[in-house]
């Protein structure tokens, strides 16, 4: 179903999709303690079954969460005309409701930033210029800490799958040319939701993340849902002190389909705003995305055609959010 909005806050939206409500919060999300000696096998099990898990005892200081949340809200609470100076996204910068350039819309505003200091974007710089220096440092301290934790997580994936060398995945994220990015999403409350007769407004439409791994942290407002293997959608109970880790398409390919990228989406809330911050860890643009040799059994064939990260990204940018993007790269 699609809402053609007539009034109020929905005025700014031409077409936002809705979906049937998912009644219960799912209690089966795997939880991994990063310091658990069994973490490597628990992570692999979660990534095989769900492509998703909650990470606790991660060691990233709570004050980094709080600082960035304060600064992000300061930005999102600016007058629209000020925020628009940091947009439209190219893909970096500020965007509102339009996600990508292929017609996807959602009840969301966002800032997409490059995490690689060597690649600067005019739009990204303008975000920081319009705002105090404190915003830049809150982003930097958070991203640096999350990156270090993400390196550790993918090394545990490598350990759990007995991938050699152990840094076969983490070296791609550590690389100076790693094509990683960082996103701040703000989903304002949408009081008009009541008028939708029990349906939920889509904040961020269903998709898988194209990169290797994504590390998501949000405030305590629910809305995130993941799609299980049996195609049912379940709501992820929010936890503002923990991270949620998503397997991306590139990791699915590099493990020849053993780990699966998770389809997820976000629903808008009628009362509370949701703020999320996501680090997307991607490889350098020229990197060939192929199954890791040490993972392949004797005689096992790749399920995918060979492609570079740049080719995959170009293809993903041309697609709609909900498209099954890996389909074009599967061997039939
Ligand atoms: C994305 O930005 O790719 C998301 O999936 C958003 C998730 C969220 O905002 O919680």
């Amino acid at each position: 179903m699609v809402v053609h909005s007539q009034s109020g806050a929905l005025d700014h939206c031409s077409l936002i999709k809705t979906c049937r409500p998912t009644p219960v919060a799912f209690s089966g999300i795997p939880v991994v303690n990063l310091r658990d000696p069994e973490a490597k096998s628990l992570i692999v099990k979660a990534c095989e079954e769900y492509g998703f898990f909650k990470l606790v005892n991660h060691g990233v200081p709570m004050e980094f969460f709080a600082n960035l949340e304060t600064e992000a809200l300061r930005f999102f609470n600016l007058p629209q005309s000020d925020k628009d100076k940091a947009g439209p996204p190219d893909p970096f910068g500020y965007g509102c409701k339009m996600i990508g350039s292929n017609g996807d819309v959602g009840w969301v505003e966002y800032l997409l930033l490059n995490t690689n200091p060597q690649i600067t974007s005019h739009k990204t710089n303008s975000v920081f210029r319009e705002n105090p220096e404190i915003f830049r440092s809150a982003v930097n301290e958070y991203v640096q800490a999350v990156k270090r934790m993400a390196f550790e997580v993918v090394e545990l994936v490598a350990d759990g799958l007995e991938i050699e060398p152990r840094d076969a995945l983490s070296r791609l994220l550590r690389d100076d040319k790693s094509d990683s990015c960082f996103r701040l999403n703000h989903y304002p409350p949408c009081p008009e939701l009541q008028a939708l007769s029990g349906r939920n407004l889509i904040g961020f439409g269903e998709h898988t993340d194209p990169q290797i791994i994504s590390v998501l942290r949000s405030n305590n407002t629910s809305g995130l849902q993941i799609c299980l293997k049996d195609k049912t959608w379940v709501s992820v109970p929010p936890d503002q002190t923990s991270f949620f880790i998503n397997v991306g398409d590139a990791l699915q390919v590099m493990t020849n389909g053993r780990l699966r990228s998770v389809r997820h989406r976000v629903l808008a809330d009628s009362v509370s705003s949701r703020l999320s911050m996501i680090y997307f860890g991607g490889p350098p643009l020229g990197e060939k995305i192929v199954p890791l040799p040490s993972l392949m059994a004797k005689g096992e064939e790749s399920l995918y055609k060979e492609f570079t990260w740049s080719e995959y990204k170009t293809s993903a940018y041309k697609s709609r959010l909900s498209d099954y993007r890996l389909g074009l790269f599967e061997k039939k």
Side-chain angles (χ1 to χ4, degrees):
M1 178 186 169
V2 158
V3 176
H4 294 259
S5 68
Q6 301 290 326
S7 64
L10 291 179
D11 267 354
H12 308 286
C13 267
S14 49
L15 293 171
I16 292 188
K17 287 186 180 159
T18 66
C19 65
R20 272 195 223 101
T22 309
V24 278
F26 183 60
S27 58
I29 302 291
V31 180
V32 179
N33 173 346
L34 190 56
R35 301 289 153 233
D36 184 336
E38 299 299 315
K40 62 180 184 185
S41 28
L42 295 172
I43 289 175
V44 166
K45 192 163 173 262
C47 294
E48 285 173 341
E49 178 61 27
Y50 297 96
F52 185 85
F53 63 94
K54 173 163 133 173
L55 189 67
V56 300
N57 206 8
H58 45 69
V60 178
M62 290 296 137
E63 72 195 72
F64 291 6
F65 295 2
N67 291 347
L68 183 53
E69 194 164 319
T70 305
E71 292 312 312
L73 286 176
R74 213 195 296 278
F75 174 82
F76 287 121
N77 287 333
L78 287 172
Q80 191 62 44
S81 56
D82 286 355
K83 291 186 281 189
D84 285 341
K85 288 182 193 151
D90 65 357
F92 299 113
Y94 172 75
C96 185
K97 300 195 178 83
M98 303 278 296
I99 303 169
S101 49
N102 300 312
D104 287 296
V105 287
W107 189 255
V108 64
E109 57 178 342
Y110 59 89
L111 267 176
L112 187 61
L113 306 172
N114 198 317
T115 61
N116 189 337
Q118 291 185 347
I119 307 169
T120 52
S121 148
H122 174 70
K123 295 269 168 48
T124 308
N125 287 342
S126 102
V127 172
F128 294 121
R129 264 208 301 277
E130 299 294 327
N131 288 278
E133 186 53 30
I134 200 165
F135 193 155
R136 182 193 288 274
S137 67
V139 169
N140 285 349
E141 79 180 353
Y142 177 88
V143 170
Q144 292 317 317
V146 167
K147 270 184 175 179
R148 279 195 295 276
M149 191 204 68
F151 302 159
E152 204 176 338
V153 170
V154 294
E155 280 168 5
L156 286 168
V157 168
D159 290 344
L161 289 172
E162 297 179 8
I163 292 169
E164 280 177 7
R166 173 167 204 255
D167 70 351
L169 297 166
S170 63
R171 72 172 179 84
L172 302 175
L173 307 183
R174 286 182 202 272
D175 195 298
D176 282 349
K177 297 203 177 78
S178 150
D179 185 37
S180 299
C181 56
F182 181 62
R183 188 171 188 122
L184 288 161
N185 287 332
H186 179 231
Y187 305 86
C190 182
E192 283 85 348
L193 268 180
Q194 265 78 344
L196 296 178
S197 51
R199 291 185 70 88
N200 281 115
L201 193 66
I202 299 288
F204 208 114
E206 66 174 271
H207 64 285
T208 56
D209 294 335
Q211 291 84 359
I212 295 173
I213 190 172
S214 321
V215 180
L216 181 151
R217 184 257 156 194
S218 77
N219 66 359
N220 251 356
T221 301
S222 59
L224 179 64
Q225 299 197 321
I226 62 166
C227 188
L228 303 181
K229 274 185 176 164
D230 68 4
K231 309 273 183 243
T232 51
W233 284 97
V234 295
S235 297
V236 177
D239 178 350
Q240 60 185 356
T241 64
S242 302
F243 289 105
F244 292 94
I245 311 289
N246 292 6
V247 172
D249 296 339
L251 187 52
Q252 175 168 325
V253 174
M254 294 171 95
T255 58
N256 208 22
R258 188 151 161 205
L259 306 189
R260 61 177 210 113
S261 59
V262 60
R263 192 156 271 267
H264 56 287
R265 67 185 181 191
V266 178
L267 308 184
D269 193 278
S270 59
V271 183
S272 311
S273 73
R274 173 177 170 88
L275 184 82
S276 59
M277 33 192 88
I278 308 123
Y279 160 75
F280 300 94
L285 285 172
E287 188 71 28
K288 275 196 184 131
I289 307 300
V290 286
L292 294 162
S294 67
L295 251 187
M296 300 291 272
K298 205 158 174 244
E300 182 178 343
E301 295 217 355
S302 172
L303 299 173
Y304 306 93
K305 299 172 198 161
E306 206 173 282
F307 57 89
T308 62
W309 170 241
S310 168
E311 286 164 340
Y312 191 61
K313 220 176 113 167
T314 305
S315 162
Y317 271 92
K318 287 189 194 141
S319 66
R320 296 294 299 259
L321 260 186
S322 64
D323 288 348
Y324 177 55
R325 295 158 171 161
L326 274 179
L328 289 174
F329 297 88
E330 279 172 353
K331 287 186 185 163
K332 297 292 171 228

